[in-house]
């Protein structure tokens, strides 16, 4: 029997939330929770974790990339493009994933997204 989508990761979410309550600056847990929330459709909670991670790790390209994904899911294209550009400035280079990541679907036809892809490739 399959759990409904909103229950699929609840055990892990509960577990990591309990760790985060004891250590609110655990960046590994923050990143994991952000991903779990997003998988469960809890986009606002995922965005909150991604923002927190960027505050704690301002020079981490993956943190900025994950923030760009959450912002895209919230239909905040301009903010998402800025975060994605920052991720690239900090060294994010996985073009293949950028082009297939479903979280970025809302940006893929945007001229600025295409320019960022071209910038990475060159």
């Amino acid at each position: 029997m399959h759990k409904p989508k909103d229950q699929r990761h609840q055990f892990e979410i509960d577990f990591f939330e309990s760790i985060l309550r004891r250590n609110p600056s655990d960046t590994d847990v923050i990143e994991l929770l952000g991903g779990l929330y997003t998988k469960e459709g809890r986009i606002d909670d995922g965005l909150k974790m991604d923002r927190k991670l960027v505050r704690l790790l301002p020079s981490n390209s993956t943190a900025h990339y994950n923030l760009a994904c959450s912002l895209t899911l919230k239909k905040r294209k301009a903010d998402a493009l800025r975060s994605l550009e920052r991720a690239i400035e900090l060294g994010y280079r996985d073009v293949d994933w950028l082009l297939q990541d479903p979280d970025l679907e809302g940006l893929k036809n945007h001229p600025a997204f295409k320019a960022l892809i071209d910038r990475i490739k060159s």
Side-chain angles (χ1 to χ4, degrees):
M1 177 185 257
H2 286 54
K3 291 184 179 182
K5 184 178 181 188
D6 62 347
Q7 296 294 307
R8 210 174 288 159
H9 300 285
Q10 195 57 51
F11 174 81
E12 293 140 297
I13 288 171
D14 292 344
F15 175 75
F16 289 120
E17 284 176 343
S18 72
I19 293 172
L20 195 61
R21 280 191 293 276
R22 289 189 298 274
N23 187 0
S25 297
D26 187 324
T27 55
D28 291 331
V29 171
I30 293 166
E31 185 174 5
L32 285 165
L33 267 174
L36 287 167
Y37 288 148
T38 300
K39 285 178 187 174
E40 291 298 314
R42 293 171 57 182
I43 307 305
D44 290 333
D45 291 330
L47 178 59
K48 183 179 174 184
M49 291 295 112
D50 291 336
R51 286 186 188 283
K52 185 173 185 172
L53 195 60
V54 165
R55 277 194 308 276
L56 292 169
L57 301 172
S59 60
N60 183 296
S61 64
T62 303
H64 287 274
Y65 177 86
N66 290 340
L67 179 58
C69 290
S70 288
L71 289 165
T72 302
L73 291 170
K74 292 293 293 175
K75 299 182 178 13
R76 296 181 52 190
K77 290 182 182 181
D79 292 335
L81 286 163
R82 276 192 294 279
S83 289
L84 193 54
E85 182 170 17
R86 184 69 183 131
I88 291 165
E89 288 169 1
L90 292 168
Y92 191 88
R93 294 288 179 271
D94 192 346
V95 175
D96 292 336
W97 182 245
L98 270 167
L99 293 172
Q100 66 179 330
D101 189 339
D103 291 347
L104 295 177
E105 203 56 47
L107 293 181
K108 291 181 181 170
N109 292 321
H110 197 288
F113 180 82
K114 293 174 181 177
L116 288 172
I117 296 297
D118 291 341
R119 189 165 124 198
I120 294 172
K121 287 181 176 178
S122 61

